[in-house]
Amino acid sequence: AASYTDSSDDEVSPREKQQTNSKGSSNFCVKNIKQAEFGRREIEIAEQDMSALISLRKRAQGEKPLAGAKIVGCTHITAQTAVLIETLCALGAQCRWSACNIYSTQNEVAAALAEAGVAVFAWKGESEDDFWWCIDRCVNMDAWQANMILDDGGDLTHWVYKKYPNVFKKIRGIVEESVTGVHRLYQLSKAGKLCVPAMNVNDSVTKQKFDNLYCCRESILDGLKRTTDVMFGGKQVVVCGYGEVGKGCCAALKALGAIVYITEIDPICALQACMDGFRVVKLNEVIRQVDVVITCTGNKNVVTREHLDRMKNSCIVCNMGHSNTEIDVTSLRTPELTWERVRSQVDHVIWPDGKRVVLLAEGRLLNLSCSTVPTFVLSITATTQALALIELYNAPEGRYKQDVYLLPKKMDEYVASLHLPSFDAHLTELTDDQAKYLGLNKNGPFKPNYYRY
């Protein structure tokens, strides 16, 4: 839904095509390089709502804090990410990029990046084999060796660690922005196998409290409406997980009059859901009656084949977590079930008795696969990612050990302050006397690290 296609798009895999940009380079693999002009317009529109990232670009352009950085990235390739990639290039970095999701690439944006000279390997609707091939093409390059990783979901980090251990050892820093990827980094660290410092951007306040919450609050309805035209008033919806993503989804659904149930494993999140007016249930208790099932846990097999068998006719099933592991889609690929593609990213899975379940994006990330996400909130995340890369790349020897770190609080506050002018917001300044009374520096940080916002 988010990507431009025209009738001349053929079914030949981009891997089979010989394409060059206007400068004669073929160091990329995209759907159609001819869409570059359209993609450039998309990027320019995104830039208008990402003023903080653009101001960071202007401030740091002179000193080139990323000169010599060779960044290999694996994220959603959208107009918003393109603004980030071009900012990193403006700050002195060389970038090679692939997609972290087979459905979230905007083909025209990938073409615009390739035209601008970024080595990008991605297109919407890659196969699983294409996905890993694209990542490999980014890393395995003669006369070019990555020294920084920007990852979303941990697949790129995993690939470099497994396939190119010598490259992995020479990486100066990893920046990871999703729950799933951070979980995998902590696993590596715990096993003593993380030989480079990594920055957990997902748990920085500016990512978690803004992207995870507000972005999902606005994009959950967009994704569902575009794919199914569903009416939410009076519908019974179960949301699995009441973290920041779940909270955002539930707020939007409740506002449109849906009856919302929550499943949770954490008693604190469960109590929050209760206090926000939601029923906390086990999935088995409501699976027969609900109209929509949404997963936001970062876990696996949250919705099993047994749950899918018990759903009512026309139940909509989708995932708002990063990975495609939350809904057991593999269990649906059996001979007795019929799959019917009814729209782009919409499958009807039909049981022998005629019951059908509406599966969106094959259980992958709904909002980026089936719609677009608000640019402004992605500016906050992108600015955080850029600052994390600058911090890790320029850190003096020994500041960061071989471990996973949170973004320094001062940096979180700086990212937030860059976005306040958009709202014409005016911060109050402490007097010397007030600062002394609170035991704070007048310029922050204003909260201790354990403060939870």
Side-chain angles (χ1 to χ4, degrees), residues 38 55 61 89 118 157 203 207 210 215 228 267 276 284 300 355 380 429 435:
F38 179 79
S55 77
Q61 210 157 359
C89 293
V118 177
T157 303
D203 292 306
K207 162 68 165 66
F210 294 88
C215 177
T228 65
D276 287 338
N284 283 334
K300 69 174 194 175
K355 177 190 97 167
I380 301 174
E429 290 180 27

Side-chain angles (χ1 to χ4, degrees), residues 2-4 14 19 21 27-40 42-43 75-83 85-86 97-99 104-124 126 134:
S3 213
Y4 169 84
Q19 300 185 83
N21 66 14
N27 188 13
F28 62 86
C29 188
V30 299
K31 180 81 172 169
N32 184 356
I33 191 68
K34 291 179 183 146
Q35 293 179 358
E37 198 181 323
F38 179 79
R40 179 51 54 193
E42 291 280 311
I43 295 167
T75 63
H76 302 284
I77 297 182
T78 61
Q80 295 83 9
T81 313
V83 180
I85 295 168
E86 296 194 358
W97 227 265
S98 63
S104 64
T105 299
Q106 287 177 270
N107 286 329
E108 66 283 6
V109 170
L113 284 168
E115 174 57 40
V118 177
V120 58
F121 299 84
W123 57 93
K124 193 179 179 87
E126 295 166 5
C134 287

Side-chain angles (χ1 to χ4, degrees), residues 138-153:
C138 284
V139 183
N140 187 8
M141 171 76 180
D142 293 335
W144 194 94
Q145 188 166 302
N147 54 24
M148 297 292 292
I149 288 175
L150 177 57
D151 210 354
D152 184 346

Side-chain angles (χ1 to χ4, degrees), residues 58-91:
K58 284 177 182 158
R59 281 184 202 190
Q61 210 157 359
E63 63 210 46
K64 297 267 189 276
L66 291 173
K70 293 181 175 176
I71 303 170
V72 60
C74 181
T75 63
H76 302 284
I77 297 182
T78 61
Q80 295 83 9
T81 313
V83 180
L84 170 63
I85 295 168
E86 296 194 358
T87 299
L88 299 176
C89 293
L91 301 186

Side-chain angles (χ1 to χ4, degrees), residues 128-141:
E128 200 76 23
D129 180 57
D130 292 333
F131 174 80
W132 294 111
W133 178 85
C134 287
I135 287 178
D136 195 67
R137 283 296 305 271
C138 284
V139 183
N140 187 8
M141 171 76 180

Side-chain angles (χ1 to χ4, degrees), residues 389-413:
L389 284 165
I390 292 167
E391 171 69 16
L392 279 180
Y393 184 67
N394 293 289
E397 189 92 26
R399 177 183 289 176
Y400 294 105
K401 310 271 188 298
Q402 296 166 350
D403 206 351
V404 186
Y405 292 85
L406 285 171
L407 199 71
K409 174 78 69 180
K410 193 88 188 85
M411 234 175 264
D412 254 337
E413 291 180 353

